[in-house]
Every structure is written in structure tokens, then in C-alpha cells.
Amino acid sequence: MFSRKTMVIAGLVLIVVVNGIVFSYNYMRKSSFYPAAVETALFFIGPFQEGVSRSTGFAEKVWTRYFSLVSTAKENEVLRRKLAETEYTVHMYREEMMLNARMASFFEFSGDVAYETVVADVVGRDPSAWFQSLVINKGKAHGVRIGQPVMVPEGIVGQVIGVSGRYAKVLLIIDRNNAVDALVQRTRARGIVRGLSSNVCHFEFALHKADITTGDIVITSGFDGVYPKGLRVGRVSQIIRRSAGIFQDIEITPFVDFSRLEEVIVILNPPVIDIMDD
Amino acid sequence: MCVTQILDFCEVVKVQFGSDESMQYLFYLLLCLILIVLQTTILPNSFGSLRFYDLIIPVAIYFSLYRPFREGFPVLLLAALAMDMISGAPAGIYLTTYIWLFLAFRQTWRFFDVKHSYFYPVLVVIGVLFQLLIFWVVISIHAGHVVFTEDGIRLVFFQVFLVVITAPFIFPFLQMFFGAADRLFPGRAIDNG
């Protein structure tokens, strides 16, 4: 009925259309298809990733533990000296904390909220350098849900964007698709931390008049409804103040070394901010 | 040793359960699964901020040039969906890359004699550059401006360099792999396109 050429052209047009529809799913991640597809992929691939990661991790540990003992003795001496110094610092901090507690009770301040957390191993990484994500070995069965923040003691890591029974996909803060509402700890100047898919992030929308200097620490503001307030994000590493424009061009180096992440902490009960209340 | 065990396992499964056709698809999917796991676990930790090129691309090109449409298309479709879902990239980006490469090269060899193994590394370079181009376009659209970074240029040269070094070894491996698939599951006539 139709010639071969017509069929080929019709087929190509169909593929272009289907391709466009699939691409548009990127902007419809709230659809029911995307989470289900991610869940299926993690269900099948996650266990293999975990197996390989554990094997390579074990081999790496054997190497570092048994073959680098030569430098350990020297390192031990340095660490002992540092420990003594740290013990003194901890003592001073403890004193400060006790003073803080007394002051808090004086003002009937409620203090920090204790977060329910779960520790997860990193079992997979994004295959492309252009996008930054991780696969961790905790999922729905452990209470992990889409949108929960992920961190390490050094600072925030990212947020959960896909979850299966035993695995979850985490979008890192250095990914271009991620944004974190943040503020400068010293001056409380607000802005948005946006990833650049490299080892640095941009601090956007910080007003030209805001007092920000190199070395300032940037923390989460808590207003994005994902990350609790006060978590460390990074340090201001470069500022370019242009004569035109109302915002500063600021670069941040995150505290977290994303290339060396092995374990992360997922916050299971992050504070929920109802924007409508404001 | 390990390969022999896998082949023995496939033989047992085939005898017990499957037809040659379905086993062949499973065999190909197993290859894709191994490559996906490899490039999401070991390889990202090997080159710092740089990354190895996408190992599914050489497979997609091999499928395109040397295997029938009905074999390559469904396998690449599933591999692309798996990659899309496992990575943090916008959904559909890997699907676009693999399927368009598969279709484009299938048409190319009708006009140009590129089926000789000498051309294979060149074709893989083209495939990798095509994928990088798609990534770059998507990122630029998302950013709202043309994204042009030093890291990006370094990555392009690094990946092309890796392809030039590794592709000549990948081709005989794939020949061996698909030859083993044909020997193990001969119930289906392979017309090589």
C-alpha cells in the first residue's frame, strides 16, 4: 500500500515525536511513569552495583590497610599531637556549650530538633561527567522517600530524586539541576546555591550591596523546604563584582569532597515549611 | 574461567526454559547490564572529575552495522531506559543518543562502505562526539545560555583519546561475544542486516 520510502519517513517522524514526548518527561518528573521507571531500574541494577562496589571497596581497603603501613607510624605521631590539641579545643567548646545551654534555658529556647536519620553506602555513580548523581543502598524499606535531604558530617550532599525498595537515587548539589536556598553565615545574606556539574557551585541572587567576602561560610537557610536550616554548604572561593547588574557573581567550593563519598546520611524527617503560612 | 561459567549457565538455562530467540536477547541484555554496572561503579572512580566514555555506544554501533534491526533495537531501547533511569541526566537523553546512533549508522552503511573493522574506531569517535553534542545542547537549553567550559573541552579530548586507544580492542571482543551468542543459540537465522 505504502512505498518503502514513505514507511521510512513515517517511521522517522514517529521516532522524532516519541523522542520529543520522552524528553518532555524531564519536565514532568511528578508524573507516575518516571518514579515507577526509576524504581524498576534501581530494582534490577542496584544489587549488581552494590556487589561490585563492595568488592572494589574491599580490595581498596586491603590495599590501604596492609600496604600503606609504612607511613602509618609517622602519621600516628602527628595525629597524637593533633589529638592533644583537639582535646583542649573540645574542652573549650564543652564549656561554651554549657554556657549556651544555661542561656537557652534562661530564655526558654527549645533548641535543636533531633532528626531521624539513616546511614547509607554509595553503591553507584552517574556514568556521565555532565550530570551528578549517586545510587545509595537504602530505599523505601528503610524509610527513604523522594525529596529527603542527604548529607555527611562535612555538609549537605543533595536530595533523593528516585527510590525503590532497597535503593535510592540522589541528585548532588553540584548538579546543574539542583538548587539550594542558602545564606552567608556571617552576614545572613541570602541567595541560591546552584550546581555547575564541577567541583564548585554558583551562589546566585546575592545582592550587590550584600557584605560577602572570600572565605565566608555558606549554610542552608531552610526556606526551600528540603534542607533543614543551618547545615554547611561550602565556602566562598571567588567573588566578581560587576559594575552593572544588581547581583554579585559568587563561586562556592562545597565542603564535601564528592569524588570520595562512600557513606551518606539521609534525613528521614526534615522540617516541613508551609509557604502558604507566610 | 568466569566467561566459561557464564556460557555454561546460559546453556543450562536455555535447555531448561527458553527458546534460542529469548535466550539471545537475555544474553545481549546481560552484556548491557555488565557495561552499565561497570560504568556506574568502577569507572567513575578511576579518572577523577573526568569520565570514561559511554560503553554502550560501541555496542550500539556494532548492533547497527552487523546485527539485524529486530535484535538491536529492543536491546538498545531497554539499555537506554535503564541508563536514563539510573543516571541524574534528563530522562530520554540516553534514549535519544542510542536510538539515533543506531538508526543513523544503519542508513550510513547503505551508502558508504563503513562495515570494515578499520572504520570502527572512527565510528565510535563519531558516536561519542554525537552523545557529547546532545548533552551539551540539553545543558545549554536548560541553562538558558551556551555553556562553554574548560572542563567540558578537556572531557571531549579525553574521551576521544580513550576511544582511539580502546575501540580497536572492543571490536574483536564484540565479534567474539556475538559469535558466542550465535553458536550458543543457533535456532535463529542471523542475516546481519
Side-chain angles (χ1 to χ4, degrees), chain A residues 21 30 51 62 150 172-173 183 186 205 232 252 259 267 271:
Chain A
I21 292 168
K30 284 176 184 169
V62 168
V150 179
L172 304 182
I173 57 162
L183 46 87
R186 185 174 59 85
F205 308 118
R232 297 186 346 142
I252 290 175
S259 63
I267 299 176

Side-chain angles (χ1 to χ4, degrees), chain A residues 15-16 19 22-23 26 29 37 41-42 48-49 52-53 56 123-131 133 169 176-177, chain B residues 33 37 39-42 45 51 82-83 85-92 94 96 100 103 132 135 139 142 147 155:
Chain A
I15 287 170
V16 170
N19 209 162
V22 170
F23 250 138
N26 176 39
R29 279 188 171 167
L42 289 173
F48 292 100
Q49 286 182 316
V52 173
S53 291
T56 50
V123 296
R125 286 172 191 278
D126 205 297
S128 163
W130 301 88
F131 305 100
S133 66
K169 186 164 74 169
R176 288 176 192 278
N177 292 312
Chain B
L33 178 67
V37 171
Q39 64 187 6
T40 53
T41 54
I42 298 171
N45 297 322
R51 288 280 197 278
M83 284 292 284
M85 296 306 133
I86 209 84
S87 88
Y94 286 98
T96 306
W100 279 108
L103 294 174
L132 291 170
F135 282 2
I139 287 168
H142 185 260
V147 176
L155 183 75

Side-chain angles (χ1 to χ4, degrees), chain A residues 8 52 60 120 122 131 148 152 178 185 193 201-202 210 243:
Chain A
V8 168
V52 173
E60 210 174 299
V122 174
F131 305 100
Q148 287 172 342
V152 287
N178 212 342
Q185 192 176 39
V193 175
C201 299
H202 251 150
S243 51

Side-chain angles (χ1 to χ4, degrees), chain B residues 27-160:
Chain B
F27 201 61
Y28 298 151
L29 286 174
L30 183 70
L31 173 72
C32 291
L33 178 67
I34 290 169
L35 293 178
I36 290 170
V37 171
L38 186 70
Q39 64 187 6
T40 53
T41 54
I42 298 171
L43 292 179
N45 297 322
S46 308
F47 303 102
S49 61
L50 296 169
R51 288 280 197 278
F52 208 85
Y53 65 91
D54 187 351
L55 287 170
I56 306 288
I57 288 175
V59 180
I61 293 171
Y62 194 95
F63 266 123
S64 173
L65 294 179
Y66 303 104
R67 309 299 291 186
F69 183 88
R70 64 174 183 277
E71 258 185 42
F73 193 78
V75 174
L76 286 177
L77 199 68
L78 284 174
L81 284 173
M83 284 292 284
D84 273 329
M85 296 306 133
I86 209 84
S87 88
I93 203 163
Y94 286 98
L95 191 70
T96 306
T97 310
Y98 300 157
I99 297 305
W100 279 108
L101 272 180
F102 179 76
L103 294 174
F105 281 122
R106 276 195 90 75
Q107 293 306 313
T108 308
W109 70 259
R110 290 177 200 279
F111 306 106
F112 304 102
D113 183 20
V114 291
K115 284 182 108 175
H116 199 284
S117 61
Y118 291 144
F119 288 110
Y120 186 73
V122 180
L123 298 181
V124 179
V125 167
I126 294 169
V128 168
L129 289 175
F130 177 70
Q131 187 182 49
L132 291 170
L133 178 73
I134 288 179
F135 282 2
W136 179 67
V137 169
V138 169
I139 287 168
S140 294
I141 290 171
H142 185 260
H145 58 88
V146 177
V147 176
F148 203 72
T149 63
E150 201 181 300
D151 287 346
I153 296 165
R154 201 182 303 137
L155 183 75
V156 171
F157 280 105
F158 179 70
Q159 294 202 340
V160 169

